[in-house]
């Protein structure tokens, strides 16, 4: 079964410096029908204005993945990590026993547009850790590129959960297929452009859950970029 979750159905909060859309319940947005999907707990689409950002704040017992679409996001944390995340970069932070971090848009003119993803880990009280890797558009064009996995295979970042995340960029007429093992489900999130699934066109911010299917088929409809989550 394939169920669509349209962009306009998401929670929304505009704080001026931050314009955020919540696929699942988050902060002041609460919908008992959308509390997550398997271990996938959060997909927030955030736009941060120039010179603004998230001040130092804590997390624990969560796998946090950042996927930047536009601009540059500056990251600092209590592990001593300082980095800049740009389009093509994938950042994974294991909060584990506890970590504090900040995220800031250092540009004076350009906003930062990124997806922040939370995945619940298999174990509590993991040792906090950080990882960042780059995946070019060519790595993703016309194919499903593994960007995060439980075992870090194919050069992906490692998440402490039985989950695999793929990224793809598809032009008109391009198609990718992903087999789902028995008992596994998928979540597809369109990051930008348009992607077709099950004969229906999904636009930026739209998503689809896939359960009880043996395969996920994505087709390019214009130029589109999407993330596919393969989940236990």
């Amino acid at each position: 079964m394939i169920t669509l979750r349209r962009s306009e159905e998401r929670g929304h909060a505009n704080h001026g410096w931050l314009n955020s859309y919540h696929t699942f319940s988050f902060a002041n947005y609460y919908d008992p029908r959308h509390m997550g999907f398997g271990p996938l707990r959060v997909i927030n689409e955030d736009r941060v204005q120039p010179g603004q950002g998230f001040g130092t704040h804590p997390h624990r017992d969560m796998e946090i993945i950042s996927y930047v679409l536009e601009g540059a996001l500056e990251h600092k944390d209590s592990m001593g990590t300082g980095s800049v995340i740009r389009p093509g970069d994938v950042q994974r932070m294991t909060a584990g026993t506890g970590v504090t971090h900040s995220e800031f848009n250092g540009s004076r003119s350009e906003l930062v547009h990124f997806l922040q993803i939370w995945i619940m880990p298999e174990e509590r009280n993991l040792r906090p850790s950080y990882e960042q890797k780059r995946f070019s558009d060519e790595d993703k064009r016309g194919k499903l590129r593994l960007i995060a996995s439980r075992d870090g295979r194919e050069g992906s970042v490692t998440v402490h959960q039985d989950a695999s995340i793929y990224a793809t960029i598809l032009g008109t007429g391009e198609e990718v297929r992903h087999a789902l093992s028995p008992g596994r489900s998928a979540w597809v999130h369109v990051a930008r452009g348009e992607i077709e699934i099950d004969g229906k066109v999904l636009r930026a911010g739209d998503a689809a859950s896939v359960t009880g299917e043996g395969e996920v088929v994505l087709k390019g409809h214009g130029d589109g970029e999407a993330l596919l989550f393969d989940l236990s």
Side-chain angles (χ1 to χ4, degrees):
M1 181 170 66
I2 298 175
T3 304
L4 303 188
R5 172 88 159 123
R6 293 295 186 182
S7 174
E8 61 269 20
E9 299 170 0
R10 298 178 295 174
H12 180 223
N14 192 339
H15 302 285
W17 67 273
L18 168 68
N19 191 12
S20 184
Y21 287 87
H22 312 311
T23 296
F24 304 113
S25 293
F26 185 87
N28 293 328
Y29 167 61
Y30 174 73
D31 183 342
R33 299 168 301 169
H34 299 287
M35 296 298 296
F37 186 74
L40 177 59
R41 179 60 187 84
V42 166
I43 301 178
N44 288 347
E45 181 181 6
D46 291 342
R47 291 176 172 86
V48 180
Q49 291 298 313
Q52 301 291 325
F54 302 88
T56 302
H57 58 282
H59 293 284
R60 65 171 298 139
D61 290 322
M62 197 64 68
E63 301 288 279
I64 300 172
I65 297 166
S66 297
Y67 188 91
V68 174
L69 297 166
E70 300 174 72
L73 185 67
E74 298 180 13
H75 167 95
K76 292 182 180 179
D77 63 45
S78 55
M79 296 176 284
T81 308
S83 66
V84 178
I85 312 162
R86 296 182 171 86
D89 293 337
V90 175
Q91 175 212 66
R92 185 270 303 163
M93 186 175 71
T94 295
T97 54
V99 67
T100 60
H101 77 138
S102 62
E103 294 161 304
F104 186 75
N105 180 3
S107 173
R108 295 182 179 180
S109 58
E110 296 183 355
L111 61 75
V112 170
H113 179 198
F114 75 107
L115 300 177
Q116 185 164 104
I117 298 155
W118 293 9
I119 293 176
M120 294 182 290
E122 292 177 307
E123 300 177 46
R124 295 176 62 86
N125 297 319
L126 292 167
R127 180 180 179 180
S129 62
Y130 181 93
E131 190 177 13
Q132 181 174 328
K133 293 189 176 181
R134 182 165 185 79
F135 304 89
S136 70
D137 284 358
E138 283 307 306
D139 289 334
K140 296 173 277 191
R141 191 168 298 281
K143 67 190 79 168
L144 285 166
R145 176 60 167 99
L146 185 67
I147 61 171
S149 64
R150 188 189 212 174
D151 55 6
R153 66 188 183 277
E154 299 176 24
S156 60
V157 301
T158 302
V159 291
H160 298 88
Q161 178 56 263
D162 185 9
S164 297
I165 307 175
Y166 299 83
T168 187
I169 297 174
L170 298 175
T172 300
E174 292 185 313
E175 177 182 292
V176 291
R177 294 175 175 266
H178 178 72
L180 286 174
S181 299
R184 298 188 69 83
S185 302
W187 185 271
V188 176
H189 180 92
V190 178
R192 53 186 161 195
E194 298 181 346
I195 297 287
E196 183 180 322
I197 182 171
D198 195 34
K200 300 176 180 65
V201 176
L202 275 65
R203 296 174 176 84
D206 290 348
S209 63
V210 183
T211 57
E213 302 282 341
E215 186 178 51
V216 184
V217 181
L218 304 180
K219 297 180 180 180
H221 194 273
D223 203 32
E225 182 172 0
L227 298 180
L228 185 155
F229 300 80
D230 184 325
L231 304 164
S232 59

